[in-house]
Amino acid sequence: MQKDKKNPYLFLLPYVLLFSVFIIIPIVMAIYLSFTNFNTIETPNFIGFLNYLNLLTQDEIFMQYVLPNTVLFAVIVGPGGYILSFLLAWSLSQLTRVPRMILALIFYSPSMTSGVAMVVVWKVLFSGNQAGYVNSILMKFGILTEPLIFLQDTRFIMLIMIIVALWGSMGVGFLAMLAGVLNVDETLYEAGAIDGIRNRFQELFYITIPSMKPQMLFGAVMAIVGTFSTGVIGVALTGSNPTPSYAGQLIVNHIEDYGFIRFEMGYAAALSVVLLLIIFLFSYISKKLFSES
């Protein structure tokens, strides 16, 4: 009997080991390094909360550019991509199987490519000469008299980053929502029709959305994590880190700047911990909004 009781824990052992190695240990190490001065060569020197104090009081780039850029990017791309994923999933569910499968693959394909490969397409569109499609179209209609260098102009960098991020936001969350819409119990719609529901939009608000809260929670968490962990788009578009005048600088870019360019690993670890807390906070809010309980 004792041997049988231990078997379930043996099945959990591979998951516990992998979760510990790839999640728990890196987080613990990041938290520890955030309290040190570490340049990757010398032994980490414990300095207490100094990195966090410098982040709040000395890092003007973080307060003036990085944090506002990240919040703006997350507020638009996170909810925008999430709502777009749900509406597309619901729209595709109205189609028959073959066209639905083809369109789902088309919408999902941008997220299968790496961020750098995805940005190559947009660099061609926003190229800063007459060969760029956007410049060519605007000059053809007389809106511009000479080409704009979109990817180096601080007025357009964030806007282009948001467009690219929304275009590539149809990822795993989109597929989860599509699966959720397609698996809503058909008897609920029949019962709704008997109770007075007369059109698709009433079905959407009174039956579909309440029936797929687990999938919507998963999509929300994936959108939050994806939005806040995005950093490659701005660097790949502009070709530099930091981006010109920090116009497209996000927290991930700031971490890479201090960690892999300046080799101030302790400060980069403090930034990583702050990013982790932000993601945890928004994930907790999403759980409260979409949890069935």
Side-chain angles (χ1 to χ4, degrees), residues 131-152:
Y133 287 94
V134 176
N135 270 324
S136 178
I137 293 171
L138 293 177
M139 293 177 69
K140 182 178 180 180
F141 287 99
I143 299 175
L144 294 178
T145 57
E146 57 184 16
L148 287 175
I149 307 176
F150 287 104
L151 301 180
Q152 300 297 319

Side-chain angles (χ1 to χ4, degrees), residues 103-119:
L103 289 174
L105 182 60
I106 291 173
F107 289 127
Y108 181 64
S109 58
S111 65
M112 290 190 292
T113 61
S114 67
V116 176
M118 188 170 66
V119 163

